[in-house]
């Protein structure tokens, strides 16, 4: 699993590639929390286009970050989920609280300007 | 012609990095059946959930313990059994309830069994407090005649 961060005004974009399971979700959680703190961002976009596998640990990790960001008064979005990630997220019902967007740009347009 | 009856057993440390090993081993083992991509993903996800439960809930992340994984297939039916010898589940019905988790502080979503039930044809849980838990799952793969259509969807 690789993780890459980009900062836009008020928005932290987290690009994850590879597998998200219990083992890697822990790393994503730790690094994202640190990056949110360091950058002072209050909104979060997860770019899921390169996720090759995800189990329910990924759902737990996303809900955890949703709670962090909500406490900061911000919003969380998912961008361009891969087929593998989308199937599980759709099944879990997480899209009711974390909205998916087809691209990072469209997610930025929707949550970055608030 | 391939003999379509086969079985394997793995025993590995209850360490988080072995979750990927377990699901990839099962995926590799069933390859002679030529499953569809979506069947492989379903089975890998279910294995990952069961192994994660064994590691986190069964053994409390004690990597000195071992998880045992059995996988077999006969014709196009795949059978998987994942066992831990940990604390066991006191109330299986509650554990299988969607969104229930005994470890909310670990950011568990409580969807593990729901995912297994969704992606496999059958899931049985056998558990005894203080002795451990076995999760038995089965999935029948699509016949070769139908699967080319499905892979294109």
């Amino acid at each position: 699993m690789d993780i890459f961060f980009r900062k836009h005004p008020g928005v932290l974009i987290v690009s994850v590639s590879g597998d998200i399971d219990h083992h890697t979700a822990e790393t994503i959680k730790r690094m994202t929390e640190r990056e949110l703190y360091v950058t002072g961002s209050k909104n979060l976009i997860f770019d899921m286009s390169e996720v090759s596998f995800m189990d329910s640990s990924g759902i737990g990790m996303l809900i955890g970050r949703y709670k962090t960001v909500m406490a900061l008064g911000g919003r969380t979005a998912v961008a361009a989920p891969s087929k593998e990630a989308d199937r599980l997220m759709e099944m879990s019902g997480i899209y009711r609280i974390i909205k998916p967007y087809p691209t990072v740009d469209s997610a930025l347009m929707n949550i970055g300007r608030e | 012609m391939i003999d379509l009856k086969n079985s394997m057993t793995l025993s590995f440390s209850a360490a988080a990095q072995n979750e990927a090993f377990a699901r990839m081993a099962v995926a590799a083992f069933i390859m002679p059946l030529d499953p569809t991509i979506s069947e492989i993903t379903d089975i890998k996800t279910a294995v990952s959930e069961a192994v994660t439960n064994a590691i986190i809930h069964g053994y409390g992340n004690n990597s000195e313990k071992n998880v045992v994984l059995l996988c077999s297939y006969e014709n196009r039916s795949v059978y998987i059994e994942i066992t831990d010898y940990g604390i066991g589940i006191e109330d299986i019905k509650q554990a299988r309830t969607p969104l229930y988790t005994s470890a909310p502080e670990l950011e568990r979503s409580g969807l593990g069994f729901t995912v297994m039930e969704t992606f496999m044809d059958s899931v049985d849980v056998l558990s005894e407090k203080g002795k451990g838990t076995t999760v038995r799952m089965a999935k029948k793969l699509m016949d070769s005649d139908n699967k080319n259509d499905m892979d294109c969807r």
Side-chain angles (χ1 to χ4, degrees):
Chain A
M1 186 278 299
D2 284 316
I3 185 164
F4 175 71
F5 296 98
R6 275 183 293 156
K7 170 89 171 75
H8 275 249
V11 186
L12 179 66
I13 302 168
V14 186
S15 300
V16 181
S17 59
D19 291 5
I20 305 179
D21 61 10
H22 158 233
H23 183 51
T24 57
E26 207 39 54
T27 307
I28 300 168
K29 169 191 169 180
R30 200 180 57 246
M31 291 179 74
T32 304
E33 290 285 329
R34 189 185 61 197
E35 211 59 27
L36 275 171
Y37 178 75
V38 169
T39 60
S41 309
K42 70 168 194 171
N43 297 299
L44 195 53
I45 296 172
F46 279 96
D47 174 0
M48 311 282 278
S49 56
E50 298 297 321
V51 172
S52 50
F53 172 86
M54 186 165 110
D55 66 17
S56 70
S57 300
I59 302 294
M61 183 280 296
L62 287 171
I63 293 171
R65 305 297 67 70
Y66 166 82
K67 287 179 181 170
T68 299
V69 162
M70 203 165 71
L72 297 170
R75 294 170 65 195
T76 305
V78 162
S82 66
K83 201 173 157 187
E84 290 80 3
D86 183 57
R87 190 148 181 249
L88 192 84
M89 288 194 284
E90 181 78 56
M91 187 221 99
S92 71
I94 198 173
Y95 288 151
R96 284 195 291 258
I97 57 167
I98 300 177
K99 205 173 167 196
Y101 294 91
T103 62
V104 171
D105 284 347
S106 57
L108 265 175
M109 278 180 66
N110 279 281
I111 78 163
R113 288 181 180 172
E114 294 201 356
Chain B
M1 188 175 166
I2 299 167
D3 180 4
L4 291 175
K5 193 174 175 183
N6 200 359
S7 67
M8 69 137 176
T9 305
L10 289 174
S11 178
F12 51 87
S13 302
Q17 63 264 38
N18 282 335
E19 291 153 11
F21 165 70
R23 62 178 179 262
M24 286 193 277
V26 169
F29 181 72
I30 63 168
M31 274 305 155
L33 301 176
D34 196 17
T36 64
I37 291 165
S38 115
E39 286 169 337
I40 297 170
T41 306
D42 288 355
I43 291 171
K44 279 172 68 181
T45 311
V47 168
S48 200
E49 300 291 354
V51 171
T52 302
N53 277 354
I55 292 171
I56 296 178
H57 301 293
Y59 288 134
N61 284 305
N62 181 353
S63 60
E64 289 182 5
K65 304 289 186 179
N66 279 338
V67 178
V68 178
L69 186 158
L70 279 78
C71 182
S72 64
Y73 56 78
E74 188 165 357
N75 296 317
R76 299 197 62 75
S77 292
V78 177
Y79 305 95
I80 295 162
E81 198 174 291
I82 290 155
T83 299
D84 70 70
Y85 301 97
I87 60 165
I89 302 171
E90 201 165 346
D91 185 341
I92 294 173
K93 196 177 167 195
Q94 185 185 45
R96 293 180 75 149
T97 305
L99 302 177
Y100 169 80
T101 178
S102 59
E105 73 285 359
L106 298 177
E107 291 195 349
R108 306 308 306 160
S109 65
L111 288 172
F113 280 119
T114 308
V115 169
M116 290 180 237
E117 287 161 3
T118 305
F119 291 160
M120 302 296 281
D121 295 339
S122 69
V123 178
D124 294 310
V125 184
L126 311 165
S127 191
E128 198 174 333
K129 205 179 167 195
K131 294 203 169 171
T133 301
T134 294
V135 176
R136 282 187 188 145
M137 304 185 281
K139 188 177 182 74
K140 189 170 189 324
L141 305 184
M142 239 182 298
D143 290 331
S144 323
D145 296 346
N146 302 327
K147 73 179 182 185
N148 289 338
D149 294 343
M150 289 300 288
D151 262 347
C152 295
R153 283 176 200 170

